[in-house]
Each structure stands twice: as C-alpha cells, then as structure tokens.
Amino acid sequence: MRRSYTALMVVLAGALLLTGVWGYSQHRTLKMVAINTENNYQRSFYEMVNHTENLEVALAKSLASSSPKGHSWTGTDIWRQAYAAGENLAQLPVSQVPLMRTAKFYNQMGDFAFVLTTQSKSNQLSPEDRKTLEGMHQEVVFLNAELKKIGSGLSSGRFRWMGGSGATQRLDKTAMKLAVSGFNTVENRLVKYPSLTYDGAFSDHMLVTRPIQGRTVSPDEAAAIARSFLGISGSDTKVSVVGKVLGTVPAYQIQAMGSKNTVPVTHVEVTQAGGHVTWMLKRPPGGNVHISTMEAQQKAMTFLEQRGFRDMVITGYQKMGNELVVALARQKGRVLYYPSTVKVKVGLGNGEITGYDARGSIIGNNLDQLPQPKLTVEEARRKVSPALKITTEKLAVIPTEAGKELLAYEFKGTYKGLVFLVYINALTGEEERILQVVERKGEVLTM
Amino acid sequence: MQGGWGAVSSRDDITLLARLIAGEARGESYIGQVAVGAVVLNRVKSASFPNSIPGVVYQPGAFASVSEGQIYLPPPTLSVQAAYDALNGWDPSFGALFFWNPSKPVSRWIWTRRILITIGRHVFGR
C-alpha cells in the first residue's frame, strides 16, 4: 500500500515537473514572439518619425525655393517622405478613425507634392500653393512635436505598443488633434485637383464632366429594363428592386432570382436617369470549358449588338477559370474611343453572359465634337522613341487622370520582344502615356 | 498617386485577395464575396487607407480573419473568381470602405458610417 502510494507520488511529481518545463518553454516562446512584434511596431514607428522629420525639412525648403527645378526636387522629396511615412503608419496598431485621418493627411500631402512637381513651370509658387504648403508645414511641425513625446516615452519604457497601453492611446490622441486643428485646410485646397480626391469605385469625379442623359424611370420600369436586358422572358423568375444607390449617379439595385426563386443569382444596377444598365454580375456557372476564346469574344460582341451598341471593337481579353472577360471600345470612323470601354464576361461552358460593366459608356461621349489633329501621322510618329519598331498606328481618345479626355495617336511598337502602346497627343505632340501589352497564355492585357 | 493608369496586380495579390474573401465571406453568396473584395480595392484607392492590397489586408486590426490566422488557408475556386471580378472593377458594394456583420459585436463607431447596401449577412458602408 505504501509502496504504490510512493510510486503514485513520484509519477505525479514527474508529471508536474514536465508540465512546469513545458509551461516555461511556452512562456519563453511567447515572450520572444511578443518582443519580436513589439520590435516591429517600434521600427515602424521610428521609420515614420524619421520620414516625418524629413518631410518637415522638405516642406520648408520648398517654401524657400525659387526655381522650377527647386520645386520639382523638393516636391519629389515631399512626395517620397509622405508616402513612406504613410506606409509605416499602416503597420502600427492604431485604431480606425485616427489612422484614417493621419493616413489621409500623408497621402494627400504626397499627392499635392506630386502635382507641384509635374506642373511647376514658373519660378515662384502661386499665392495659393504657398499658403497650402505653409499650412502643411505647420501641421507637420505639430505632428513631429507630438511624435517626439511618444518616442521619448517609448525609449524610457513608459509606453509600449503591445499590451494596449500608452503608445497606442497617445498616438490616437495625437492623430485626433491633428485632424481637428488644421486638416480641413489641406482638404479644401485639394478639391481643386479632381484626380487627387479620387476615392471611390464609381470615381465620382470622372462623372462630373457629363451628366447622365434621360428622363427619370420608376423602380418598376427599372426592374422591367433589367428583365429584358438579362433576356428573361418568363414571369416565373423574380426580378425586383432591392435598394437604391446613393451617390453622384442615383440608381436602382436590382436582383434576379435563380431557379426556384430562393437565391439571388444576378445583380443589376440601372440608373434613375434614363434607365441605363450600368453593370451586371452573375454567379459563375461551374463546369468545363466547351467553347473557344474566339467564340466567346463573338458572343460578347453579339450581346452588345443586341443591346444597341454599334461599332465596337475588342481591345483586350483575360481568361479566368472558365470565364473570359472581354474589353470592347467604340470605334467611330478612324478614331477608337477608349472612355467608352465596356467589359463583358462570358462563361466558357455554354457562352452565357455572366458579367457586364458599362460605366464608362453610359456617360456619353463627345465623338461628334472631336477636334482635328494638329499633327499628321508622320509628325507624330517622329515623336515616338526611335528605339521602338512601330507596327500599327491609329487615332484614339484616351481618358486622363484628371477626368478629361484627349485625342492622341496610338502607336503599337516593339522593343526587344516587348510590346508597347505609345500615345502622342494629336494636338501638342507630347508623349502622354505608355502602356505595355502583355500577352500570355491566351490573354491580352495592357498595363 | 493612387495607381493612376494601369495599376498592376501581381498573381500574389490575386491569391491574397482571394484568401481574404474566403476568410471574411465564407458561406456568403457570390455577389457578397465580390463585394468584400471590392471593399479591399476601394480602400487601396482611398487616401485614408494603405495604398496596396497587402497593405490593406495586413493592416493591424482591420480584418478579423487576418488577426486570427484564417487567411493562411487555401482559397476555394469561387473566392478566386470573386477576387478576379473585384479586380476587374465589379463593385456590388457601391464604393463601400467598410463591411460588418450586425449580429456580431462591432465598435460603436462603425455605425456612424453611411450604409450603402446589405448583402447576405454583411452591411456595407462608407
């Protein structure tokens, strides 16, 4: 009796010891991981501080410079430092609202500086630009002072990132103060540059150029439009308006049910003005590939023709799983109009249309008011880099980042086996844009 | 500048986006999955968030599935297709920057966002 009692004690003691050893090694691993994480946070923080200090200097120099070269150089520096600071900020466990505002602050500063860099032609800053830069400089001075306080707290060990105390809360408070104090000045200033405040999927600012045409349609009319667009004839498939899109372009959100009317399978958006179908998306049908890329492209073309599109040409396509996305644009006469690009997604099983995106095309076009090119094709061709071997050329209208359009000559050329599209402004002869055409495994993409 | 013309997404970005969609929208309808992907891309375009897909996905505290390590599971095919569609511009979230499940505990602040649409279990807002 006594012996088994002793044996039991030994076994239990052994188990306890093992548990203790295991527990201790777990604790050590955890501590190492925690230290590693803390180190990463600290590094991101100090990088951010570094860049913000450089930012203060770059802003100051920009105010002191009096040459386009100087503004270009300091503008580039501001841009670089602002983005780097923003990247590092994104690594820190700062809570949502303060993070968004500070990130926005860095980003917009960078965008503003970028514009300054690419557009500075005169020696002196305009009075408004000077005022904006001065405002930015003040904000950064304030931010740096606060960051210094947090930094010294971190060094002395008073604050830590991990454990949700001190450092995070301190940075939150700083960011909030920054937001309140002068952030609005920067924001108001930047409204002037539409491309800089591009901040949504529907790119509100691109639509400012032309309002959507047409009389207002009712929800019922919109549902009927969706029904006929999808080619649903029977009345047993339920098509209904499930909501409204609030925003620059008011529209209806419509759902079409699948078989048995239990699960929504297709989503359609129809604008209130004019009842235009903006986009449509269907759950991809499973199954194998039965039709070729060529056949699928033809299906896309037919689909558009049946819905009133004329003169469309295919500008690119991409295969994904058992579907093909085809991009088409309108070609009127000899001009290819890229802003009207429509995307059609075709299922490669049976050729059914599973996706449609015509946001670019419903804003209308100015094809009837195109200016005449000031350069001839030959003059434009001379502007293209002599390193490129040109294979085709045509006229095209391309969208610009500022939400406008411009007429350009499009030259397709090759260099060392790589294919490029170069756009020469048909009115000024400037090289406006370069795209690389990438062809791989049955898809043609431009980047 | 936010990507500007021809923002290139590498194959890795597509897989990462697909894994995020799978982690956050598992069991949701196809449209719901594309909408979640679109929120990530809307954040990339927005000045208030990081400027890349990895930046948005891995932002500390942004997505529960990332914080909990679910993002390391291989994504189902449907999520990959949803990622492709989101990258190609389809946005059933109508420009949303946030989505949340109202039946789960969320911060009070998120309810101050403007609600754009509800798809399945998720509310999308901006």
Side-chain angles (χ1 to χ4, degrees):
Chain A
M1 185 57 190
R2 214 183 132 93
R3 277 188 78 191
S4 57
Y5 184 65
T6 314
L8 186 64
M9 287 303 288
V10 169
V11 166
L12 280 176
L16 194 66
L17 189 68
L18 276 170
T19 309
V21 167
W22 173 81
Y24 180 66
S25 83
Q26 287 288 98
H27 166 77
R28 277 195 58 185
T29 309
L30 189 68
K31 196 156 178 215
M32 264 171 34
V33 171
I35 289 173
N36 192 42
T37 310
E38 177 73 26
N39 289 347
N40 274 325
Y41 286 151
Q42 296 235 0
R43 182 190 49 188
S44 295
F45 177 76
Y46 285 118
E47 294 266 30
M48 183 177 97
V49 167
N50 213 312
H51 290 298
T52 313
E53 284 171 351
N54 292 338
L55 191 51
E56 189 180 322
V57 174
L59 283 164
K61 286 185 185 170
S62 175
L63 286 166
S65 169
S66 67
S67 66
K69 191 168 164 196
H71 289 308
S72 179
W73 174 69
T74 52
T76 309
D77 208 21
I78 294 170
W79 180 38
R80 186 170 65 99
Q81 302 293 351
Y83 269 108
E87 292 263 295
N88 282 295
L89 172 68
Q91 315 266 3
L92 294 170
V94 182
S95 49
Q96 201 74 66
V97 177
L99 175 69
M100 278 171 64
R101 288 185 178 165
T102 319
K104 196 169 182 181
F105 178 65
Y106 282 127
N107 269 321
Q108 293 194 320
M109 213 184 322
D111 285 350
F112 180 79
F114 180 77
V115 171
L116 217 62
T117 309
T118 52
Q119 291 182 1
S120 73
K121 289 185 172 70
S122 68
N123 284 343
Q124 305 304 331
L125 290 168
S126 74
E128 307 146 322
D129 285 345
R130 179 165 289 273
K131 193 151 167 264
T132 306
L133 278 174
E134 277 171 357
M136 283 178 180
H137 181 251
Q138 264 179 317
E139 294 313 315
V140 176
V141 168
F142 165 77
L143 182 59
N144 268 323
E146 293 296 309
L147 288 177
K148 222 191 210 74
K149 289 187 205 148
I150 301 174
S152 75
L154 282 171
S155 308
S156 69
R158 252 189 312 137
F159 300 147
R160 280 233 172 277
W161 291 106
M162 300 279 287
S165 70
T168 309
Q169 282 160 355
R170 197 64 206 240
L171 191 57
D172 279 3
K173 262 182 40 201
T174 302
M176 287 303 259
K177 248 195 266 177
L178 183 73
V180 164
S181 70
F183 182 56
N184 289 321
T185 332
V186 175
E187 206 166 309
N188 291 336
R189 185 76 196 84
L190 287 165
V191 167
K192 188 182 171 201
Y193 302 102
S195 62
L196 301 182
T197 47
Y198 171 87
D199 60 359
F202 216 120
S203 80
D204 290 345
H205 298 275
M206 298 229 313
L207 289 165
V208 168
T209 49
R210 265 190 300 267
I212 313 264
Q213 304 294 340
R215 65 160 184 88
T216 314
V217 304
S218 72
D220 286 335
E221 287 174 298
I225 289 169
R227 188 181 277 274
S228 92
F229 181 86
L230 294 169
I232 297 172
S233 45
S235 55
D236 16 298
T237 312
K238 197 155 151 246
V239 177
S240 47
V241 175
V242 295
K244 270 216 179 102
V245 182
L246 312 159
T248 325
V249 182
Y252 298 105
Q253 304 159 2
I254 297 170
Q255 271 179 10
M257 294 295 192
S259 58
K260 299 181 207 147
N261 275 333
T262 47
V263 174
V265 154
T266 313
H267 273 230
V268 186
E269 180 186 314
V270 175
T271 63
Q272 241 173 56
H276 303 280
V277 177
T278 336
W279 61 266
M280 175 270 279
L281 191 61
K282 215 175 192 176
R283 184 195 166 99
N288 296 320
V289 173
H290 289 303
I291 68 174
S292 68
T293 306
M294 285 285 276
E295 288 175 281
Q297 288 177 344
Q298 193 48 54
K299 296 257 182 206
M301 194 70 101
T302 313
F303 181 77
L304 290 187
E305 278 164 10
Q306 285 169 345
R307 279 148 190 80
F309 284 87
R310 299 278 163 266
D311 311 316
M312 304 298 280
V313 300
I314 292 174
T315 56
Y317 53 91
Q318 188 179 17
K319 190 162 161 210
M320 297 181 279
N322 58 356
E323 295 184 302
L324 187 77
V325 175
V326 185
L328 304 100
R330 182 145 173 240
Q331 172 143 348
K332 185 174 178 189
R334 59 186 187 126
V335 183
L336 183 56
Y337 191 74
Y338 280 110
S340 70
T341 299
V342 174
K343 286 202 187 130
V344 178
K345 191 152 67 100
V346 186
L348 294 169
N350 59 3
E352 80 174 284
I353 306 297
T354 54
Y356 173 82
D357 181 357
R359 282 171 300 174
S361 110
I362 62 165
I363 59 173
N365 61 63
N366 61 358
L367 277 171
D368 296 323
Q369 300 127 24
L370 280 182
Q372 285 300 315
K374 291 220 175 83
L375 278 78
T376 63
V377 161
E378 292 80 26
E379 289 172 320
R381 199 184 302 128
R382 278 198 287 271
K383 301 274 182 181
V384 178
S385 166
L388 285 178
K389 193 165 140 245
I390 294 176
T391 51
T392 62
E393 61 213 13
K394 64 153 73 86
L395 265 179
V397 176
I398 59 175
T400 66
E401 276 171 21
K404 302 218 175 357
E405 297 163 356
L406 63 89
L407 183 67
Y409 283 103
E410 178 191 84
F411 294 100
K412 192 171 189 178
T414 57
Y415 174 68
K416 296 205 171 166
L418 302 172
V419 183
F420 297 92
L421 289 169
V422 179
Y423 296 89
I424 302 293
N425 193 317
L427 302 174
T428 66
E430 274 182 57
E431 184 185 69
E432 295 285 350
R433 184 144 300 149
I434 302 179
L435 294 178
Q436 186 182 354
V437 182
V438 176
E439 253 175 276
R440 46 170 188 228
K441 281 210 298 173
E443 45 182 38
V444 177
L445 307 169
T446 53
M447 310 189 165
Chain B
M1 295 306 258
Q2 307 298 345
W5 254 63
V8 182
S9 268
S10 71
R11 297 248 161 234
D12 297 329
D13 271 357
I14 291 163
T15 314
L16 185 58
L17 187 61
R19 285 193 281 149
L20 174 345
I21 290 173
E24 292 290 312
R26 190 167 291 117
E28 292 296 315
S29 68
Y30 182 67
I31 301 290
Q33 293 194 22
V34 177
V36 164
V39 167
V40 172
L41 295 173
N42 292 340
R43 286 190 175 189
V44 173
K45 285 180 213 140
S46 163
S48 308
F49 287 94
N51 299 329
S52 65
I53 292 176
V56 167
V57 167
Y58 284 111
Q59 186 182 2
F63 297 105
S65 63
V66 177
S67 310
E68 287 158 23
Q70 282 162 37
I71 199 165
Y72 293 109
L73 300 169
T77 319
L78 202 64
S79 298
V80 178
Q81 279 183 297
Y84 268 120
D85 280 346
L87 280 162
N88 257 316
W90 275 282
D91 184 4
S93 80
F94 296 101
L97 288 173
F98 302 91
F99 66 87
W100 65 99
N101 186 335
S103 63
K104 289 208 183 132
V106 288
S107 74
R108 245 179 319 153
W109 174 81
I110 210 159
W111 286 106
T112 64
R113 302 294 89 201
R114 178 162 57 104
I115 292 178
L116 296 166
I117 184 174
T118 305
I119 304 177
R121 285 194 295 262
H122 287 129
V123 170
F124 291 82
R126 196 177 165 86

